[in-house]
Amino acid sequence: MSEAAIEKPAGTGEREAPVLWLHAVERRYSEAGAPLEILKGAELAVWPGESVALIAPSGTGKSTLLHLAGLLEAPDGGEVYIGGRATSKLSDSERTRIRRIDIGFVYQFHHLLPEFSALENVVLPQMIRGLSKKVARNNASELLGYLGLGERLSHRPSELSGGEQQRVAIARAVANAPRILMADEPTGNLDPKTADHVFSALGQLVRASRLAAVIATHNMELAGRMDRRVTIRDGLVVEL
């Protein structure tokens, strides 16, 4: 990846390599036998500790962009770089490994395991990665405490409020210390006051952990508190 090919936005400090770079990305689908162009050479770069709001109407390619950035899909053209490494030609197992280690996902619905406590939901992904139960529990307790859930560790999802459930989901997403966080409408199901609280916790975590975060949202007030705002227009990523 050429450093000359991409510049860090003004006002964001010393230039460094982006953690995530979608370069000239193309994505098309087949609809009724005809190609449907979704992304047409899209560019997006995100640096450590930077939060980017993705604001786009349904049908413009927002979900496609998130799927490509999260390595859930491969582009038809261009390249997705994670930490400077090209990923489009990697094997499925290599892409899965990068997703497991370098990328955390938060969705509009929390998708917590209902039979497990808040603590256990955050412990499990760490143990799957290979950490001991003791280390995973210590990490999970610290992370949930940081997010204001220190008194709720033993509660199951059904015993938590919507905001608490989503904060557990955020803790789970970052439990394995990923470099990138992808969030798709993480506060979409919450009332404004709860959404504000969850978003503040998420923002603190992004800055403290130096995550590169791409957060899709329709909430313009919350988007305005992020470092940058982008949309998708005519298959391209455009700064707002």
Side-chain angles (χ1 to χ4, degrees):
M1 178 172 55
S2 169
E3 288 192 12
I6 188 164
E7 295 288 339
K8 191 172 185 180
T12 52
E14 183 180 345
R15 194 179 79 167
E16 56 187 314
V19 180
L20 170 68
W21 184 23
L22 277 66
H23 175 51
V25 164
E26 301 174 7
R27 191 70 172 107
R28 64 188 65 90
Y29 302 100
S30 179
E31 185 176 86
L36 178 64
E37 301 281 345
I38 302 297
L39 298 176
K40 310 171 186 177
E43 299 274 347
L44 176 65
V46 190
W47 280 261
E50 183 183 36
S51 58
V52 176
L54 175 58
I55 309 161
S58 299
T60 57
K62 178 182 65 178
S63 294
T64 296
L65 187 75
L66 290 174
H67 289 169
L68 291 170
L71 304 189
L72 297 171
E73 297 182 27
D76 294 305
E79 188 56 82
V80 177
Y81 294 92
I82 304 292
R85 184 184 185 189
T87 62
S88 65
K89 300 297 190 294
L90 296 177
S91 67
D92 287 344
S93 62
E94 288 175 308
R95 289 165 63 84
T96 298
R97 182 177 181 276
I98 292 174
R99 279 199 307 272
R100 187 172 65 244
I101 294 174
D102 290 329
I103 305 173
F105 295 91
V106 181
Y107 299 99
Q108 185 169 346
F109 185 71
H110 56 76
H111 295 296
L112 298 174
L113 298 173
E115 66 271 29
F116 294 105
S117 68
L119 183 70
E120 291 165 338
N121 266 280
V122 182
V123 164
L124 283 172
Q126 298 179 76
M127 293 183 65
I128 290 171
R129 186 176 175 182
L131 271 67
S132 70
K133 186 174 183 179
K134 180 180 180 181
V135 171
R137 286 179 65 88
N138 287 340
N139 290 344
S141 296
E142 183 177 352
L143 189 52
L144 289 167
Y146 181 83
L147 291 172
L149 295 169
E151 303 299 318
R152 311 290 276 170
L153 301 185
S154 63
H155 290 65
R156 294 186 180 184
S158 63
E159 300 171 313
L160 301 173
S161 69
E164 289 170 337
Q165 291 169 346
Q166 201 63 324
R167 278 182 281 158
V168 175
I170 291 169
R172 180 184 58 186
V174 301
N176 282 327
R179 293 193 287 176
I180 301 165
L181 181 67
M182 310 296 299
D184 191 0
E185 296 287 350
T187 61
N189 286 332
L190 306 176
D191 65 81
K193 183 177 180 179
T194 304
D196 180 78
H197 189 68
V198 170
F199 192 86
S200 295
L202 180 58
Q204 285 181 315
L205 198 57
V206 167
R207 289 187 293 273
S209 305
R210 295 217 10 106
L211 282 163
V214 179
I215 303 174
T217 182
H218 286 107
N219 190 320
M220 297 301 293
E221 181 182 352
L222 296 183
R225 290 157 53 184
M226 298 172 68
D227 296 314
R228 290 162 53 209
R229 287 148 296 283
V230 301
T231 190
I232 299 173
R233 191 175 299 148
D234 298 324
L236 300 175
V237 177
V238 180
E239 298 279 339
L240 293 174

